[in-house]
Structure formats: structure tokens, C-alpha cells
Amino acid sequence: MITKRDSVFYLSLFLFFFHGANTIIISFMPVYFQHAGMSESKIGSILAIGPLAAILAQPFWGYMSDKYGTIKRILLITLVGVFVISIFLLTNDSYMFILLSAAFFYIFMSPTGALGDSLAVKTAASVNKNFGSIRTWGSIGFAVSTLLVGQYFSFAGIGLILVPFLLMITIAFLTATKVSDVKSVNKPITVLDAVKIGKNPRFLFFLGTIMFLTIPHRANDSFIGIYLTELGGNESQIGLAWFVAVASEAVIFATSQYWYKRFNEITFILIAGLLYSVRWIVLAYAGGPVAAILMQVLHGVTFGVFYVTAFQYVTKLVPENLQATGHLLFISVFFGVSGILGSLFGGMLFEKASGAMLYTTMGYMSLVGCVALVIYIYFDRKKSKIDTSYA
């Protein structure tokens, strides 16, 4: 019988290897397609079609998880789908076939991370641990993978991208089979219940606001590797850049129990937004790959702080029995809608202008996001005072 402590161990291993596999897709797949001779706009369209499919898939998988009261079984299904479809995605050179494969790939890939994080939130609560202390293993896996896989590609060539990806997904699946499922609230879930989340004005306002921060973030995910090559970097330096970024993220996750209670979630999100703006504008003026790599240290205090606090904030915005659905809707906006817009328009701007212009635009967009957050905070607090006065 697997104890709760064993489950935390296996869940940490799952997050380590799944995010290790995910780094190959995020960090190196754009460069893989570039080496295959595709333009930045075509690469952007490939990276955008996946999140478009994910927008439709995310609520479905969240609804199925809540309806049948299981995260683990849905997680195992999506991992099998990822394994099979990645073979088609990363072994073909037909642009149209890659587009189609990317759509099906992200139908399974995009909810897997969110389901793992949702399971981590509930597992952490059941053993009185902080979510960040478990989630940090995903960041460590991401960081270690970027460093090792970057070196591997420098030696073997990026054309062999499928080998390390399938290896890590297989290990992630095996460790996920050892994780204990968490008990869901026994209240029956209907399609109408799930639809109600999408009609929650407070939730929608929040999701719309953070898009000004998540779109630039996703554009960076798609094009930082190509930007580094524009600055004169190579695959090894791309891996090093991601290692520095995610290592700083891991530190933030690991220490979240110490800083998380200092302010409320919205305050932390606003701080992360301001630092996002600084990060992108400074990157726009990076004189070479070394300067860009050093700037990756800010990834921890931008994405790390933003993700931990925003994920926890969403937990407060939705009913307990619909939290998996709420989390997946949040992920749909972050990695889906924002991924489409960031990849599509980022690729067009990169190709028509330059990487520096792309990052400058991202910096100013993040500033707009901070203003939008201040507006959200104002109206949210005003509504809370009105509700309290009528209570």
C-alpha cells in the first residue's frame, strides 16, 4: 500500500521527468524546426496551432477529472497520448502534417502539466505541505533537462530530439502509476456546473487581466532559443539559458513557504508583472548571448512568483468540487490562448522586424498588464466592500 509520504515522493518524481520532457518541447522544438528550414512565421504558426487545440481540450479533461473524481487516471491517459503522437510530430518534415500532429499532441500534452499541478495542490493539502515545495521538483527537472539535453544536442545533433523526449515521458508515466489518487468532493458534477465557472465575472476579469502578462511570457517561451541564435548563441547556450532560468524558478518554488504569506496573491502577481516588464526590456538590449543568459535569473521572480500565487488564487475563485476544471481553464488561458497569440504574432514580429523589437513590445505589454491588475484590484475590493455591507 502506498502511503501519503510515498505518494509525495512519486509525485515529485513524476513532476521532475514530465517537466524534463516538457523543456525539450519548449526550449528546443522551435530550434529543431528552424534547423529543418522553416521560417519564424511558420514556426510561430506551428507553436500556435497546438495551444488552439488545447483551449478546446483543457476544459474537457478538467470536466472529466471532476466528473469521475479522479486526476490520476486522466493523467495516465494523457501521458499515453503524448507518447504516441510525439512520434508523428517529431519524425516528419511535411509542414501541414506537422500542424495536424501538433494539434493532437497538445490536446494530450497541455492538460498533463495542469493535472499534475492540481494533484500536487491536493496532495500537499492532505499532508500539510506547501504546494511550491512539491512543484519545485518540476522546475528542477526542467532545469536539469535543459542543461543535459542542450549538451546532448551539441554532441548528437538536434535531429535526434525524439530520443530524450520519449525516454522522459516513459519514466514520467511509470512514476505516475505509483501516485495515490486524491479523494474528490462527492457532490455530483454536471456540464452545467462546469459552464458556470466560465460565467463567473470575477474569474473572467482575472483571466483577461493576466493575459497581458502571459502573452509576453509565452512569446518568450517560443522564441528565446531563436533569439539567442540571432545573438550568436548555440544549442549548448540555449540549454544553459533555460537552466539558469528554471534553476531560479526552482529556488522560488522551494522557498515559497517562507515568502508566500508575506502579501496576498494579487500583490505578488503585480510585483511579478513589474519585474516581467523590466526583464523583457533589458533582454531587448542584450548585446550577446552571455548577457541574455544572465538575465534569465529573473525568470524565478517573474514566472515562479506569478505561477505559484496565480494558481493558488484561482483555487479561491472556484468552488472546491470544480477546482480541477478551474485550474485547467487557468492553464488554457496561460498556455493556450496566450500561447497562440504569443507564438503567432511573436513569430510575425520577429520575422518582419527583429528579436529586439519583439522583446521591447513584450516589455511595454507587461506594463499595460500591471495597470490592468491595479484596475482589477480596485474593482474587486470595491465589490467586496459592497457585498460585506449587504451581508
Side-chain angles (χ1 to χ4, degrees):
M1 181 178 179
I2 298 176
T3 66
K4 288 184 177 180
R5 180 173 295 184
D6 291 336
S7 186
V8 170
F9 171 74
Y10 285 116
L11 181 57
S12 300
L13 280 180
F14 161 76
L15 291 172
F16 181 93
F17 285 104
F18 172 74
H19 285 280
N22 197 31
T23 188
I24 297 172
I25 298 301
I26 294 175
S27 307
F28 295 103
M29 191 169 74
V31 180
Y32 167 75
F33 288 135
Q34 185 185 47
H35 276 242
M38 292 186 185
S39 65
E40 284 84 358
S41 58
K42 279 189 174 182
I43 293 170
S45 64
I46 292 170
L47 298 176
I49 197 69
L52 177 61
I55 292 172
L56 302 176
Q58 294 276 24
F60 168 77
W61 292 114
Y63 168 74
M64 295 297 288
S65 176
D66 286 328
K67 180 177 177 62
Y68 293 104
T70 175
I71 296 177
K72 176 181 175 179
R73 278 181 279 176
I74 301 299
L75 185 64
L76 294 175
I77 291 171
T78 59
L79 283 167
V80 171
V82 166
F83 183 96
V84 173
I85 299 172
S86 66
I87 297 172
F88 296 96
L89 176 64
L90 300 174
T91 58
N92 284 275
D93 54 10
S94 167
Y95 172 64
M96 293 306 298
F97 190 87
I98 290 172
L99 279 178
L100 182 62
S101 298
F104 283 100
F105 176 79
Y106 279 100
I107 285 174
F108 291 95
M109 184 70 174
S110 57
T112 305
L115 288 167
D117 286 349
S118 187
L119 188 58
V121 167
K122 295 186 176 184
T123 300
S126 69
V127 295
N128 199 28
K129 289 177 69 73
N130 183 274
F131 162 62
S133 65
I134 298 178
R135 179 57 177 79
T136 188
W137 288 102
S139 300
I140 294 172
F142 199 111
V144 171
S145 178
T146 53
L147 197 61
L148 296 181
V149 174
Q151 293 295 327
Y152 166 78
F153 287 146
S154 294
F155 173 75
I158 201 165
L160 296 176
I161 190 172
L162 187 62
V163 175
F165 180 79
L166 290 183
L167 176 63
M168 292 188 190
I169 284 295
T170 299
I171 299 174
F173 177 85
L174 294 174
T175 54
T177 62
K178 300 291 186 179
V179 174
S180 296
D181 221 344
V182 292
K183 291 184 178 180
S184 301
V185 177
N186 292 325
K187 182 180 176 181
I189 304 297
T190 66
V191 174
L192 184 60
D193 292 324
V195 170
K196 285 179 181 178
I197 290 184
K199 292 183 177 180
N200 182 336
R202 188 181 177 203
F203 186 45
L204 290 178
F205 193 2
F206 174 72
L207 293 181
T209 299
I210 63 171
M211 281 183 65
F212 290 98
L213 304 179
T214 56
I215 290 173
H217 176 91
R218 294 295 287 143
N220 176 71
D221 284 348
S222 296
F223 295 105
I224 183 63
I226 296 176
Y227 184 48
L228 280 169
T229 60
E230 183 181 73
L231 294 173
N234 54 37
E235 286 87 353
S236 177
Q237 288 176 312
I238 293 170
L240 180 59
W242 277 103
F243 174 79
V244 171
V246 187
S248 69
E249 172 192 313
V251 171
I252 292 296
F253 282 140
T255 59
S256 61
Q257 59 183 320
Y258 302 108
W259 58 260
Y260 178 73
K261 298 295 183 181
R262 299 277 180 175
F263 305 105
N264 60 44
E265 291 93 347
I266 289 296
T267 301
F268 275 119
I269 294 170
L270 181 58
I271 292 171
L274 291 169
L275 291 174
Y276 261 134
S277 181
V278 172
R279 179 185 175 189
W280 304 142
I281 291 174
V282 173
L283 265 172
Y285 292 95
V290 174
I293 290 169
L294 291 175
M295 279 305 301
Q296 293 295 85
V297 173
L298 284 181
H299 181 80
V301 290
T302 51
F303 172 73
V305 170
F306 175 85
Y307 190 76
V308 167
T309 53
F311 204 85
Q312 295 277 27
Y313 186 67
V314 168
T315 302
K316 297 180 179 180
L317 293 179
V318 298
E320 184 180 358
N321 61 316
L322 288 169
Q323 284 185 1
T325 303
H327 289 153
L328 283 173
L329 285 172
F330 165 68
I331 297 298
S332 292
V333 169
F334 196 155
F335 296 99
V337 177
S338 299
I340 294 169
L341 298 176
S343 297
L344 197 58
F345 292 107
M348 293 169 59
L349 186 57
F350 200 124
E351 185 175 346
K352 298 298 181 182
S354 65
M357 178 58 70
L358 171 62
Y359 276 92
T360 300
T361 304
M362 287 159 54
Y364 288 119
M365 187 173 185
S366 296
L367 276 180
V368 173
C370 293
V371 174
L373 270 172
V374 172
I375 295 172
Y376 171 82
I377 293 169
Y378 171 77
F379 282 105
D380 191 56
R381 288 179 178 174
K382 186 176 181 180
K383 185 179 183 302
S384 297
K385 288 180 180 178
I386 293 173
D387 292 342
T388 302
S389 65
Y390 282 96

